[in-house]
Amino acid sequence: VAGTTPVRFWEFFVAHFIGTMKVAILDAYLGSLLLQAATESSRLEEQTRGAVIIETVALVAISAFVTTYATNVFTSILAEEGFKKED
């Protein structure tokens, strides 16, 4: 996709970096909570563990939805350009 748009390389790089930082920080935070829950389960209350599980399930569900949506959009863009999906 980069190269098919009139966006310059550095603009794309900066926008991509900023966009992925949010996900990277969120993944690091949730990973830290999960590791802490696994290693120090006596310090965490049951509600905190439940919140971590709910957040993890929500993150996986949102990631699956976004991936599916992005794939469908990209496929429709390719179809408009004349490329057909090979089975």
Side-chain angles (χ1 to χ4, degrees), residues 48-60:
T48 305
R49 277 185 252 150
V52 169
I53 290 170
I54 291 170
E55 288 178 29
T56 303
V57 169
L59 184 64
V60 169

Side-chain angles (χ1 to χ4, degrees), residues 11-76:
E11 292 172 341
F12 174 80
F13 181 77
V14 170
H16 179 71
F17 181 76
I18 291 170
T20 57
M21 285 303 295
K22 180 178 74 168
V23 176
I25 291 170
L26 183 63
D27 284 347
Y29 174 71
L30 289 177
S32 173
L33 285 178
L34 288 173
L35 181 62
Q36 187 179 29
T39 58
E40 302 174 5
S41 60
S42 62
R43 292 185 187 176
L44 295 177
E45 297 178 11
E46 197 65 34
Q47 294 175 348
T48 305
R49 277 185 252 150
V52 169
I53 290 170
I54 291 170
E55 288 178 29
T56 303
V57 169
L59 184 64
V60 169
I62 290 169
S63 296
F65 172 74
V66 168
T67 300
T68 303
Y69 181 75
T71 301
N72 289 338
V73 168
F74 190 68
T75 303
S76 68

